[in-house]
Amino acid sequence: MAMRGFSSFEARFRSKMAKATPTEVLVKKKVKEGLTKQEIEDYKETFDKFDADGGGTIDSQELGKLIRVLGLNPSDAEVEALKKEIDEDDSGDIDFKEFCELMNSTTLRKMQAVDDRESRLRTAFQKLEENDGRILRDNIIRMVTTRGSMQLTKAEADDLCDRVEQDMDG
């Protein structure tokens, strides 16, 4: 039975997504488990590279750069909020203990979950792209009718592609 206003594909997609583990649950689990030994070692190695004078702290101005080096992409406003969250003594310097607390915070774990999903999407689209960066309709149809747990019929795939606004360059 299709949901009113939704195609059968959209109804199946929404049903599948409703069963998926929400990001909040994954984030809470990671925060509760804490940092792994490997994460701590990796963070320490990177932290030490930013600790130019070897004093055991980094300037709060370098925090955004450090987080980005670790593969996350926070906005400037998010970095500012993170600085306020972890610099408990308002010294302007962040020691490794404060940094580890930050890296296991709910805020950063959410960023990791979002960045992971975005990365998986980028990878999927890279598999569809031609050398010139275009994605051909036939490639999309082949992908959605042969891969994944929610394979579409040819008619559903055609309907999906018909809804996409083409830029007419192929």
Side-chain angles (χ1 to χ4, degrees):
M1 176 175 107
M3 298 171 68
R4 195 171 99 215
F6 295 107
S7 69
S8 61
F9 165 72
E10 289 169 318
R12 285 196 338 247
F13 179 77
R14 288 173 180 267
S15 173
K16 178 112 176 142
M17 291 308 294
K19 294 176 187 172
T21 306
T23 302
E24 294 80 27
V25 173
L26 296 173
V27 167
K28 285 180 183 177
K29 182 177 185 237
K30 286 294 282 179
V31 169
K32 183 179 178 183
E33 290 173 355
L35 297 174
T36 66
K37 196 174 202 175
Q38 184 62 50
E39 285 175 318
I40 292 171
E41 289 173 11
D42 292 344
Y43 293 158
K44 181 64 175 159
E45 182 180 330
T46 306
F47 185 89
D48 288 345
K49 289 178 183 175
F50 278 79
D51 181 13
D53 65 358
T57 62
I58 59 170
D59 186 314
S60 62
Q61 298 298 320
E62 297 295 320
L63 180 62
K65 291 178 185 174
L66 176 55
I67 292 171
R68 289 180 182 101
V69 164
L70 293 170
L72 299 175
N73 193 23
S75 67
D76 291 340
E78 288 170 325
V79 170
E80 204 53 47
L82 291 169
K83 286 179 196 175
K84 290 177 183 172
E85 183 179 327
I86 63 164
D87 189 15
E88 296 171 358
D89 57 4
D90 288 326
S91 66
D93 291 330
I94 297 160
D95 63 24
F96 186 66
K97 179 182 175 279
E98 288 175 320
F99 180 70
C100 284
E101 289 171 8
L102 169 71
M103 294 309 291
N104 195 46
S105 70
T106 302
T107 305
L108 259 289
R109 291 296 188 177
K110 281 181 184 176
M111 283 183 204
Q112 288 171 334
V114 169
D115 282 354
D116 182 50
R117 287 181 179 179
E118 288 176 359
S119 174
R120 286 185 289 164
L121 281 172
R122 279 190 207 101
T123 300
F125 275 99
Q126 286 172 347
K127 290 178 182 180
L128 291 172
E129 284 182 345
E130 297 293 311
N131 291 338
D132 60 2
R134 294 180 302 146
I135 299 175
L136 301 177
R137 179 185 180 104
D138 291 342
N139 290 350
I140 294 171
I141 290 174
R142 185 174 37 259
M143 171 79 75
V144 299
T145 58
T146 62
R147 305 237 184 217
S149 60
M150 293 179 38
Q151 294 176 8
L152 302 180
T153 66
K154 174 82 167 87
E156 289 172 325
D158 282 331
D159 178 50
L160 182 66
C161 287
D162 288 341
R163 295 177 185 207
V164 176
E165 183 178 321
Q166 297 181 16
D167 58 13
M168 305 308 276
D169 68 356

